Amino acid sequence: MIIQTGLYVITMIVPVIAAKYTAGPKPMSIYLNITPIKLFWNFMFLILIYYGSKLIKNNGIVDIPVHYYAILVLIDSINVIQYNIMLTALVAFYCRISDARFGGTYMTLLNSLSNIAGILSKLISFALIDLLTFKECSFDSENNCSTSHHQNACKSNGGDCITIVNGYYVESVICTVIGIIWYIIFKNKLRELQSKRPSHWVVKMNIQESGNHKNSYALEDVKT
């Protein structure tokens, strides 16, 4: 409870600080600078989870030491800071390219698409963990415990389903590699997109625009 409350406080403070650096004409530069660190941080969670079970047990008895909490808070706090900086930069970019004629509709659409993509990626990643996890019955190597029937057959004969390959580790490595490839391919493209003038993102309409709107975009182009 205390740890979660502390993370909520960080979540509220970081965007306020990050907004100072993402309010300029190139907010995605901050996003791209944080991305390699965020990708590297995946391995910190891998190490924590791998050794976590050993740290919290003492002679087979669960005994969580204070330094485990310290390590957990440190790793998770840095992860939350990175995430919120990237999120603030992304929202700043959406705000910059949104067509002012539509109020918050344009920006809401961009945020909605971003949120949907984030939720779908999480759902898919959770589902893939089971698919990438390989188990084996302790007394029958032919039984891979892939279905409830196989698991019940193993347990009914006094065996246990032992995890041979943990899908979390496999998926984390695969996703990190995909993230690195994505970063290499798209980083220059994102820098190019954020350098475009605000008029580039204006929704083209057949109706005649008033002179005030045209002048406002002309002024924005001059400022950028």
Side-chain angles (χ1 to χ4, degrees), residues 149-212:
H149 173 72
H150 288 90
Q151 293 172 8
N152 292 331
C154 180
K155 292 179 180 179
S156 62
N157 291 310
D160 291 316
C161 290
I162 302 173
T163 301
I164 306 300
V165 178
N166 192 320
Y168 171 78
Y169 302 118
V170 177
E171 183 176 338
S172 295
V173 173
I174 292 174
C175 290
T176 302
V177 172
I178 293 174
I180 294 172
I181 296 173
W182 176 91
Y183 179 76
I184 294 173
I185 295 175
F186 290 102
K187 65 175 181 178
N188 291 331
K189 185 64 176 178
L190 288 175
R191 294 185 191 278
E192 179 184 344
L193 286 174
Q194 74 171 349
S195 64
K196 293 184 180 297
R197 297 179 180 275
S199 57
H200 175 80
W201 305 98
V202 174
V203 177
K204 296 181 180 180
M205 303 175 65
N206 293 327
I207 61 175
Q208 186 176 1
E209 297 182 5
S210 65
N212 291 334

Side-chain angles (χ1 to χ4, degrees), residues 90-91 94 104-120:
L90 194 61
V91 173
Y94 292 160
T105 305
Y106 197 131
M107 187 171 178
T108 301
L109 174 63
L110 295 174
N111 276 306
S112 297
L113 293 175
S114 179
N115 291 334
I116 291 172
I119 293 172
L120 286 177

Side-chain angles (χ1 to χ4, degrees), residues 99-101 198-199 202 213-222:
D99 194 330
R101 295 173 299 173
S199 57
V202 174
H213 281 120
K214 292 181 179 179
N215 292 334
S216 64
Y217 285 113
L219 289 173
E220 288 185 14
D221 287 344
V222 171

